[in-house]
Amino acid sequence: MGHDTPPRWDRKMQQRLTRGEAAALGELYDRFASLVHGLAHRVLDDEHAADRVTREVFGYVWENPEAYEPKEGSMRSWIAAVAQRLAVQSLRRRQESGDGPSEHLEEQVRAASVAARADYIRTSMPAPLRAALELAYIQRRDYRQTAEHLGVTEDEARRRLRLGLQMLSTATKGTPPPLGPAGLGGQQ
């Protein structure tokens, strides 16, 4: 299940970070560290490098809370995009220095971008679609069980699943969500 963070929470968190509240950073870390570490590990396939990127992401967020634009998406999505970009930069640096495998670099970058985009789409889709997908694909329920659990008709459950899957299928197209200002937005 995703961590739903209403836009109001995102704005308040940004304000707290801007004021320099260390407790806000701790709360943000508790909520999103596993997401960040997982994305970084997916790109880098290295526990220590993923730990380093996780520290870099939260350092960046602490130093640049104004880089988050609530109008462009949730804080969760922004943090995931920062993590993906920093992990890709780390992977490219490692490859350029000869420390990493070069033959699969672009494939790893592409896979990480698709995963970040899919996560962004899933967390941004309307709650009824997300709930249907999570019931069907995470909890392994068929459309009848999904309909019963959600209290909707079977046709409505099928419609929600179809729309949710159509939205997710776009993850392989386009680019990851933008980071906004502060220098990371144009780098991949």
Side-chain angles (χ1 to χ4, degrees):
M1 297 289 260
H3 294 282
D4 289 344
T5 53
R8 184 171 157 215
W9 182 91
D10 292 351
R11 286 191 299 277
K12 286 189 177 287
M13 178 57 69
Q14 182 183 33
Q15 291 167 354
R16 291 175 62 202
L17 290 167
T18 300
R19 288 192 301 263
E21 287 184 33
L25 182 63
E27 185 179 329
L28 201 66
Y29 183 88
D30 289 345
R31 180 169 265 182
F32 298 124
S34 64
L35 167 72
V36 170
H37 191 272
L39 287 170
H41 195 275
R42 186 178 300 146
V43 172
L44 299 165
D45 196 28
D46 178 323
E47 191 71 27
H48 296 296
D51 290 344
R52 187 173 46 257
V53 167
T54 301
R55 287 190 301 273
E56 289 175 16
V57 167
F58 287 98
Y60 176 81
V61 169
W62 177 249
E63 293 171 3
N64 302 283
E66 73 285 348
Y68 168 62
E69 284 293 331
K71 293 175 191 161
E72 293 180 11
S74 69
M75 183 166 282
R76 181 182 199 278
S77 297
W78 176 66
I79 289 172
V82 171
Q84 191 263 343
R85 295 275 166 90
L86 290 178
V88 167
Q89 289 173 4
S90 177
L91 183 65
R92 287 195 169 134
R93 279 193 308 270
R94 194 166 68 184
Q95 189 264 334
E96 288 169 2
S97 69
D99 293 340
S102 60
E103 66 272 3
H104 300 294
L105 175 67
E106 290 308 314
E107 184 180 316
Q108 284 179 282
V109 168
R110 207 171 303 107
S113 294
V114 168
R117 180 93 175 125
D119 183 67
Y120 172 77
I121 291 167
R122 186 185 61 79
T123 59
S124 299
M125 71 176 48
L129 300 182
R130 187 174 59 244
L133 285 175
E134 288 174 350
L135 284 167
Y137 293 96
I138 294 173
Q139 296 182 22
R140 302 278 190 212
R141 296 185 182 185
D142 65 23
Y143 73 92
R144 288 182 182 102
Q145 293 168 324
T146 298
E148 184 179 323
H149 184 83
L150 295 174
V152 298
T153 66
E154 290 178 9
D155 285 341
E156 177 62 15
R158 280 194 296 264
R159 186 187 72 76
R160 289 179 186 184
L161 290 168
R162 185 174 51 253
L163 288 173
L165 289 172
Q166 286 172 345
M167 290 177 75
L168 280 175
S169 73
T170 65
T172 58
K173 301 172 182 106
T175 58
L179 289 175
L184 289 175
Q187 300 174 357
Q188 289 211 27

